[in-house]
Amino acid sequence: MRIHWLLFLLTAFLISCQSSTSPAKLKLPTIIGSHMVLQQHAEAAIWGWAEPGATIIVKGSWPSLPQQTTTSQSGRWEVGLPTPEAGGPFTIEVKEAENSILLEDVLIGEVWLGSGQSNMEWPVHQADQADQEIAAADFPEIRIFTVEKATADTPLEDAVGEWKVCKPTTIGDFSAVAYFFGRELHQELGYPVGLIASSWGGTPIQAWTNREALSHNPVIKASLDLDAILDELKPATLYNAMIAPLVPFTLTGVIWYQGEADTYRPIAYEELLPNMIRQWRKAWGQEFSFYFVQIAPFAYETPLSAAALRESQRKTLSLPRTGMAATMDIGNPDDIHPTNKQDVGKRLALWALAKDYGKDIVFSGPLFTAMELLPPNALNPVRLHFAHAEGGLVANGPLTHFELAGKDEVFYPAEAQLDANYVYLKSEKVPRPVAARYAFSNTAESNLFNQAGLPVSPFRTDDWPLLFTKPKIDLAYDRVKDRFRITIDFQDSLADIHYTLDGQKPNNLSPKYTERLSLSISQQIKAVAYKDGEQVSRIAEREILRHKGMQAEIINMTTPSKRYLGKGKYTLTNGLLGTTRFDTPEWLGFEGEDVDIVIDLGEPMKVDRISIRFLESQGAWIFLPKSLEIKGGLDPQNLSSLLHPMDMPVAQQKKASIVSYGHELEGKEVRYLSFHAQTLGTCPSWHQGAGGKAWLFLDEIIIY
């Protein structure tokens, strides 16, 4: 792991150096190479670097005139190379004085970029029927390019990656969604297809948007700090390193699967997604198509957070040349990574086939358009209208997930009946309904479809405020002053924040937060926001815990994953306890490897009890350790066993929880402690991610 980490840093350093130095010799970016696909019927962008003032000539082997340009003072050059209709293979020669580069096995066809977080990154070898899919992946006219993960504070000129021919030996690690999307296009159109995958699991959308576009939007600018959870995934860093180097490679469009990491503030996503789409289009100078996946059912921690994010995604359809693939019927509420990527890719392809290639097909699931209130004496007083429901709606079993509410804004389950492309609703508990909802929850699984088998997208007819936002409680431990610092903030600066420190439920009579708090003892902090006497947030809560190990030094530790570095080496001894949300600074994450930790208490002391807190969230592939061993003593080179390796059988769990494993020492004197946690390595056979790497998360070593 440490070797891989050093190689990662070295690669990032070399790319960074490369982006700031004008090359002396003729050079092309990695995205322009042999085996690539260029967009047909286009002025395909070809660019690179050479000596300033050099003459560059680019010529394709198809019938066309050579393109000529002169490099700028920085050494960069660019031409638009006219491309013919789909075909190949061709060659492209790039010449400068005595230097030349010959690109071979180049195809002309359709080019698409796939980006997002883990569900886009998810490889073919972990998708449904992976062995059969890989064995059948012999498509010499599909070409794939994976952008290697990297971050950068400023836009880079190049990325790490290479074009490969799609075949069983190359497709296993490629994005499953992108592959199944591209395969569908290739089989339906007969064109060569180039697929570029640039994705990173667990990442927020701000990381994929450039800083200028973020800072110019006041709604987004106010929430920038929320995405600095991990230093290397702060705003714009992934755009800079993994998207900017691809600009201006000519595309037909983009497919996007992301949003799970943004469910903690889903209303902002209504601004964030359209903002990113506009920024990417501006960067490319193309109004390309942009099709995205509506996130699947999953048991997120905050009620309605995923429902609200899906609503924000749906509102993005108002932007021209966008499309949305609903997945409420093919998800897994117990696993954030559903493995049916075939249908996801196909549903995205339906949008492209209809909108970009003129196919007369049904491309969208039904979308709610209007609610009609019928006379109160009607048998079913509510009638719902839908688009994309031609030929009538179809239910797979009894209709579920419909709700009605009156003016009291309290929703009750509703009985639903189908009539052609209408849905009629009633509820004995709501004699005069004013609002309806469908599948408006985190985990609802749709069973209502159009004739093409595409599911109805979740919706609500009301615009009543949703209380899933919480005040943000920031905790820090000052090791010099040996005190905790607590800062509380809320997205609405006009709201008042009230808090308690004894674990009691706060209200508008509780102390009002006006300045940073400084505490020296263990506390359970709760906070809530009020505005004009009305509660406008859910209750946020955090816990700080004072114990003997808080001044301990971590003198040796397995390197955690770059994605989950917490607050560095003091994460495990700072008294700041995490929640069941794993992507916060209180947790350290380790992927698929055992964890060793050695701490120095600073001086010999009598210890009564030791415990370590682990997170279990099997839907996110986070498991408890297989076994735990604790050693201690006064000499770090001669530690004796305090807790022999303790086997911990892993049982299936649907809900995320925090588990503490400890051991009574009854006043034993120690200075050094070591911990060895053996991970599962891979997810168990009964888990949906069987064979994939299992994660281990821990947040505090507690010593009394």
Side-chain angles (χ1 to χ4, degrees):
M1 179 70 182
R2 290 192 177 102
I3 293 174
H4 293 161
W5 175 232
L6 289 172
L7 287 173
F8 183 92
L9 289 176
L10 178 59
T11 300
F13 173 75
L14 291 174
I15 293 175
S16 179
C17 292
Q18 181 179 302
S19 69
S20 60
T21 304
S22 297
K25 294 184 178 180
L26 181 63
K27 180 180 179 295
L28 298 174
T30 58
I31 192 64
I32 297 175
S34 295
H35 313 299
M36 69 178 172
V37 177
L38 288 182
Q39 181 62 43
Q40 65 174 325
H41 300 305
E43 298 285 321
I46 305 291
W47 73 96
W49 304 270
E51 290 284 0
T55 299
I56 306 295
I57 300 174
V58 181
K59 177 71 171 67
S61 63
W62 58 90
S64 65
L65 295 174
Q67 302 299 304
Q68 181 173 315
T69 189
T70 303
T71 60
S72 66
Q73 290 185 350
S74 68
R76 191 180 186 280
W77 58 267
E78 180 181 334
V79 301
L81 183 64
T83 57
E85 64 182 12
F90 300 104
T91 61
I92 298 175
E93 186 179 22
V94 182
K95 296 181 65 176
E96 177 265 326
E98 301 301 319
N99 300 311
S100 67
I101 298 174
L102 182 66
L103 305 178
E104 300 179 299
D105 188 31
V106 174
L107 299 180
I108 307 297
E110 295 298 309
V111 183
W112 288 81
L113 167 62
S115 188
Q117 57 181 107
S118 55
N119 275 308
M120 179 60 79
E121 182 184 357
W122 199 258
V124 173
H125 73 79
Q126 289 182 334
D128 283 354
Q129 301 175 333
D131 291 343
Q132 298 95 307
E133 295 287 12
I134 291 172
D138 186 13
F139 295 101
E141 290 194 341
I142 295 178
R143 306 296 170 84
I144 57 177
F145 184 102
T146 299
V147 178
E148 188 170 302
K149 292 177 182 177
T151 64
D153 290 332
T154 57
L156 302 182
E157 291 184 333
D158 205 358
V160 177
E162 64 175 322
W163 284 99
K164 298 178 180 179
V165 178
C166 174
K167 51 188 175 181
T169 56
T170 61
I171 199 61
D173 291 330
F174 190 70
S175 162
V177 168
Y179 168 63
F180 294 130
F181 167 83
R183 184 180 69 180
E184 190 74 12
L185 295 188
H186 177 61
Q187 292 177 330
E188 289 293 323
L189 302 171
Y191 298 150
V193 175
L195 300 169
I196 305 165
S198 182
S199 50
W200 190 329
T203 55
I205 192 171
Q206 279 97 320
W208 295 99
T209 310
N210 81 1
R211 186 168 291 278
E212 180 183 5
L214 292 168
S215 61
H216 287 177
N217 187 311
V219 175
I220 296 172
K221 188 176 180 180
S223 65
L224 281 180
D225 64 308
L226 297 178
D227 282 272
I229 292 174
L230 301 176
D231 288 342
E232 62 280 353
L233 297 182
K234 59 191 177 184
T237 52
L238 297 184
Y239 174 82
N240 291 338
M242 298 179 66
I243 298 298
L246 307 178
V247 179
F249 197 80
T250 308
L251 310 170
T252 296
V254 173
I255 55 173
W256 175 257
Y257 196 163
Q258 190 273 342
E260 298 90 344
D262 291 286
T263 53
Y264 65 95
R265 42 106 175 95
I267 298 301
Y269 205 80
E270 183 179 338
E271 295 275 353
L272 289 163
L273 181 54
N275 186 74
M276 188 197 76
I277 295 171
R278 287 189 291 265
Q279 184 258 307
W280 284 23
R281 288 173 171 174
K282 180 180 178 181
W284 256 272
Q286 282 185 256
E287 191 77 2
F288 48 58
S289 298
F290 194 102
Y291 304 133
F292 53 90
V293 181
Q294 194 174 42
I295 62 172
F298 180 66
Y300 293 93
E301 179 181 1
T302 304
L304 297 184
S305 60
L309 188 125
R310 294 183 196 111
E311 182 177 64
S312 291
Q313 290 179 313
R314 179 178 165 169
K315 289 180 179 179
T316 303
L317 292 174
S318 63
L319 207 62
R321 300 197 67 181
T322 57
M324 181 181 74
T327 59
M328 297 300 288
D329 61 318
I330 54 174
N332 183 346
D334 298 325
D335 195 328
I336 202 169
H337 301 122
T339 55
N340 179 358
K341 303 303 186 191
Q342 288 88 339
D343 282 326
V344 179
K346 183 174 183 177
R347 290 176 186 183
L348 289 166
L350 291 175
W351 278 91
L353 290 169
K355 296 297 185 179
D356 297 278
Y357 305 110
K359 298 290 185 179
D360 185 15
I361 57 175
V362 178
F363 54 87
S364 172
L367 297 173
F368 166 78
T369 57
M371 180 179 74
E372 184 180 358
L373 296 178
L374 304 177
N377 59 350
L379 181 61
N380 297 289
V382 172
R383 180 162 58 193
L384 303 176
H385 298 246
F386 297 87
H388 305 291
E390 294 79 3
L393 296 167
V394 179
N396 181 12
L399 283 175
T400 56
H401 305 307
F402 281 100
E403 299 174 288
L404 286 174
K407 291 182 179 180
D408 61 358
E409 302 184 8
V410 178
F411 281 90
Y412 296 94
E415 295 180 40
Q417 291 186 356
L418 296 181
D419 183 4
N421 55 351
Y422 300 112
V423 174
Y424 290 86
L425 301 180
K426 68 176 180 180
S427 174
E428 293 181 359
K429 294 185 177 181
V430 188
R432 295 185 179 276
V434 299
R437 291 179 178 178
Y438 173 68
F440 202 77
S441 75
N442 290 344
T443 58
E445 296 180 89
S446 178
N447 70 340
L448 183 59
F449 307 86
N450 59 18
Q451 294 290 331
L454 300 175
V456 174
S457 176
F459 64 88
R460 62 172 178 152
T461 67
D462 63 281
D463 60 358
W464 298 330
L466 299 173
L467 295 183
F468 46 72
T469 56
K470 301 178 183 179
K472 182 185 178 186
I473 304 175
D474 277 331
L475 306 177
Y477 175 57
D478 187 330
R479 295 177 65 84
V480 176
K481 296 182 179 180
D482 192 24
R483 296 185 69 85
F484 297 102
R485 299 193 305 270
I486 294 91
T487 304
I488 311 177
D489 193 14
F490 187 60
Q491 63 184 31
D492 185 347
S493 60
L494 299 179
D496 293 327
I497 302 171
H498 298 267
Y499 68 92
T500 60
L501 299 176
D502 57 2
Q504 296 297 309
K505 181 179 179 180
N507 55 41
N508 59 350
L509 299 179
S510 302
K512 183 178 175 180
Y513 176 81
T514 58
E515 60 183 0
R516 188 175 68 184
L517 306 175
S518 179
L519 305 173
S520 61
I521 60 174
S522 300
Q523 300 278 16
Q524 187 175 3
I525 308 151
K526 293 188 177 183
V528 67
Y530 277 81
K531 187 175 183 180
D532 300 327
E534 296 280 340
Q535 182 177 336
V536 293
S537 80
R538 296 173 62 84
I539 294 175
E541 54 184 296
R542 300 295 301 276
E543 186 175 359
I544 54 178
L545 181 68
R546 173 166 292 282
H547 57 87
K548 287 183 177 180
M550 291 192 55
Q551 293 291 337
E553 292 284 342
I554 306 292
I555 58 176
N556 187 37
M557 181 175 70
T558 303
T559 304
S561 164
K562 183 173 173 60
R563 291 158 59 184
Y564 305 109
L565 289 172
K567 290 181 179 290
K569 66 178 183 178
Y570 294 122
T571 302
L572 301 179
T573 57
N574 60 10
L576 310 181
L577 305 186
T579 66
T580 53
R581 185 182 174 94
F582 60 87
D583 54 347
T584 62
E586 283 67 55
W587 291 104
L588 290 178
F590 303 84
E591 186 180 18
E593 63 177 339
D594 294 350
V595 177
D596 289 289
I597 301 165
V598 180
I599 68 173
D600 178 4
L601 298 177
E603 60 183 3
M605 63 176 64
K606 292 183 177 180
V607 175
D608 295 319
R609 179 175 173 80
I610 303 173
S611 64
I612 309 181
R613 285 167 42 101
F614 294 95
L615 175 63
E616 183 173 37
S617 183
Q618 294 180 2
W621 296 34
I622 301 171
F623 293 85
L624 297 176
K626 184 177 180 180
S627 69
L628 176 66
E629 181 180 18
I630 303 175
K631 294 181 179 180
L634 301 176
D635 180 358
Q637 304 302 320
N638 187 27
L639 301 180
S640 59
S641 180
L642 304 177
L643 175 65
H644 295 290
M646 178 177 62
D647 291 333
M648 305 173 185
V650 178
Q652 296 186 43
Q653 301 289 341
K654 290 188 175 182
K655 291 186 177 181
S657 63
I658 297 170
V659 179
S660 293
Y661 287 115
H663 186 62
E664 302 292 338
L665 298 186
E666 299 177 349
K668 183 178 180 64
E669 189 174 57
V670 298
R671 174 174 174 175
Y672 300 94
L673 292 163
S674 74
F675 305 84
H676 176 77
Q678 182 183 4
T679 69
L680 293 182
T682 58
C683 297
S685 59
W686 46 261
H687 189 265
Q688 192 161 6
K693 289 185 178 180
W695 286 85
L696 184 72
F697 273 66
L698 56 159
D699 77 336
E700 190 76 9
I701 297 172
I702 302 169
I703 301 171
Y704 292 111

